Amino acid sequence: MFIYPAHSLKGEVTVPGDKSISHRSVMFGAIADGATEVTHFLEGADCLSTIACFRRLGVDIEQRQGRIYIHGNGLHGLKPAAGVLDAGNSGTTVRLVSGILAGQPFPSILTGDASIQKRPMKRIITPLREMGADIAGNNGTDCAPLHIEGKPLRGIQYQSPVSSAQVKSCILLAGLYADGPTCVTEPSLSRNHTELMLSSFGARLLSQDTSVTIWPNPKLVGQKIEVPGDISSAAYFIAAGLLVPNSEILIRNVGINPTRDGMLRAAEAMNASVTKLNVHIISGEPVCDLLVKSSSLIGTEIGGSLVPALIDEIPILAVMAAFAEGTTVIKDAAELKVKESDRIQAVVRNLKAMGAEIEATDDGMVIYGGKPLHCATVHPYADHRIAMSFAVAALCAEGGAEIEDAECVDISYPGFYQDLDALICR
Ligand code: S3P
């Protein structure tokens, strides 16, 4: 897809539902008693993989008029799947569903696409084995396909070496099936949607600083859930509105959970004009409308406990940094190497191809901003967030840019290019 430079962006956009919250609504609905009704569910490929897995585990899930109805089987009601469960491209599906499957009285095999089969699973295998789970990677590796036997589990106290909501959530979900409380501590707090939503379904959890404890065997009851707009999807419009001159965009209904709003904090440090309007709570999550106006950005430093709160937004923040005056240092973000692609390499190679001055480091990158970008062919490495970040870069580059494999955005944002196009003033 070729994206041409834009002179001005104006108008309103409502981004699709949050990916992390959409996944969890299906998973928790599946193991609750009664029906769960979900509105503004993200019908992207990743969340559809989660629906497909739970259908194969015997859960009746309907998609009707933009809503999802999950007729839960209860905590102990999942059925063995005939054949292999396929998580597609979704790390959240593999890691969270593994936690649930570890405590079932039947065996399962869980896999995904080529990218998933390369992503690290040791981070969940180690704590699940400590809980007594029988889980193994493929042919002695720590990679999917994962073979999970299903065993009685014990509660543990686990010190996670990484700040990862997928690891934390996997252990908490296994903890539902354990013989006592399970506690996870992480270096910095990662997104807490599991804690918030599982509590609303009736689980007993206690969060303290960067630790969370869950008690087993709760009665989970189906809920009505309205999914907030995904701040990770809003991030591309925030960046586009800031970077394209003469722009003013209203992004409606964006989730601003403090464990996810790091992009807004980084943008503020970069001198961005982003105003929160109409702040309110839906389904236990804070949301607002974001008013974005073109701004002259300056470089910043991103690191430490801010990183988990903006981990998925680093590619688009790097694009913003390329257009900002001064240097931006992104550090403590080695996790970027094990996402859907190696996002340090993907960002650095593509920004360099467009003429930016940027260096990869072991745990991030350094961007010397303010050099004009020019036309290039962008390789997203099958990574939705790289494609969307560079679509925004193209809007501001001399001569635009060609995005290869542009449809990979369907993982988290089907309709992304149409929504972006609708804002362009012609
Ligand atoms: C997610 C957690 C994050 C994030 C991913 C979604 C989740 O991954 O990057 O897109 O829904 O729990 P990690 O837990 O690996 O940091």
Side-chain angles (χ1 to χ4, degrees):
M1 165 161 322
F2 199 90
I3 301 203
Y4 294 91
H7 305 294
S8 163
L9 304 178
K10 292 261 155 64
E12 291 187 16
V13 59
T14 302
V15 294
D18 187 276
K19 183 154 78 74
S20 296
I21 296 176
S22 296
H23 278 301
R24 286 159 173 80
S25 68
V26 172
M27 295 177 190
F28 307 167
I31 56 169
D33 284 308
T36 290
E37 181 184 329
V38 190
T39 48
H40 203 50
F41 181 86
L42 168 61
E43 296 197 26
D46 269 11
C47 299
L48 297 179
S49 294
T50 291
I51 290 185
C53 285
F54 281 95
R55 281 187 174 142
R56 301 203 72 186
L57 289 163
V59 183
D60 176 14
I61 303 174
E62 295 172 78
Q63 288 167 268
R64 259 195 280 135
Q65 290 151 0
R67 287 177 188 215
I68 307 289
Y69 298 86
I70 303 128
H71 303 281
N73 287 22
L75 197 56
H76 301 284
L78 296 179
K79 307 275 189 307
V84 174
L85 294 162
D86 185 358
N89 190 242
S90 173
T92 306
T93 309
V94 175
R95 297 199 177 109
L96 272 63
V97 171
S98 293
I100 295 175
L101 293 177
Q104 303 303 316
F106 54 79
S108 308
I109 302 176
L110 184 53
T111 192
D113 67 9
S115 149
I116 277 295
Q117 292 183 31
K118 280 191 240 130
R119 292 182 69 184
M121 295 299 154
K122 192 168 183 192
R123 53 183 59 201
I124 58 160
I125 291 175
T126 301
L128 287 176
R129 281 191 184 151
E130 213 175 290
M131 295 178 81
D134 185 343
I135 174 169
N138 198 33
N139 285 330
T141 68
D142 290 319
C143 291
L146 297 174
H147 298 251
I148 303 169
E149 278 305 319
K151 283 276 182 307
L153 301 179
R154 51 184 172 267
I156 59 166
Q157 303 244 342
Y158 189 68
Q159 197 87 36
S160 176
V162 280
S163 299
S164 158
Q166 293 179 358
V167 171
K168 172 173 66 177
S169 303
C170 168
I171 300 167
L172 293 175
L173 288 167
L176 292 172
Y177 298 94
D179 62 358
T182 294
C183 178
V184 190
T185 303
E186 48 186 347
S188 300
L189 187 62
S190 64
R191 63 193 67 191
N192 66 355
H193 306 302
T194 294
E195 294 91 307
L196 295 178
M197 198 191 289
L198 259 185
S199 296
S200 78
F201 273 81
R204 184 176 160 212
L205 293 117
L206 180 66
S207 295
Q208 280 171 312
D209 303 322
T210 65
S211 295
V212 51
T213 304
I214 192 163
W215 279 263
N217 219 15
K219 182 162 174 47
L220 301 179
V221 180
Q223 299 292 306
K224 277 197 169 180
I225 296 168
E226 190 183 337
V227 180
D230 197 328
I231 191 166
S232 299
S233 298
Y236 307 104
F237 297 105
I238 296 171
L242 294 171
L243 294 176
V244 176
N246 311 311
S247 297
E248 185 167 322
I249 304 177
L250 187 66
I251 313 169
R252 289 212 181 269
N253 190 34
V254 182
I256 49 165
N257 179 315
T259 62
R260 291 286 298 286
D261 73 348
M263 152 92 186
L264 299 180
R265 287 182 265 157
E268 194 180 350
M270 295 178 85
N271 195 37
S273 172
V274 182
T275 312
K276 289 180 198 160
L277 304 171
N278 184 25
V279 179
H280 60 291
I281 303 281
I282 59 169
S283 298
E285 294 275 353
V287 300
C288 74
D289 301 331
L290 293 173
L291 181 65
V292 182
K293 296 183 185 172
S294 314
S295 304
S296 299
L297 300 181
I298 54 173
T300 188
E301 187 170 309
I302 294 170
S305 61
L306 182 59
V307 170
L310 49 65
I311 188 72
D312 290 341
E313 288 67 74
I314 290 179
I316 188 62
L317 281 163
V319 168
M320 284 163 56
F323 291 100
E325 232 14 85
T327 303
T328 293
V329 178
I330 299 173
K331 59 182 192 179
D332 306 321
E335 276 294 297
L336 290 174
K337 296 179 189 167
V338 292
K339 294 294 178 188
E340 286 84 330
S341 68
D342 175 342
R343 287 184 177 159
I344 297 181
Q345 288 308 327
V347 166
V348 170
R349 284 185 191 152
N350 284 309
L351 270 179
K352 265 194 182 155
M354 294 183 79
E357 210 179 317
I358 178 168
E359 281 161 20
T361 61
D362 273 353
D363 65 348
M365 57 196 91
V366 181
I367 304 135
Y368 305 94
K371 314 269 172 316
L373 299 198
H374 56 67
C375 183
T377 300
V378 170
H379 305 289
Y381 302 96
D383 185 335
H384 54 132
R385 301 211 186 278
I386 301 299
M388 290 188 275
S389 298
F390 281 87
V392 173
L395 290 179
C396 315
E398 211 181 296
E402 168 84 28
I403 315 285
E404 279 194 335
D405 183 25
E407 62 283 4
C408 67
V409 304
D410 289 354
I411 287 292
S412 66
Y413 198 154
F416 169 72
Y417 299 106
Q418 291 89 318
D419 285 356
L420 189 60
D421 191 60
L423 297 171
I424 297 174
C425 302
R426 296 191 160 87

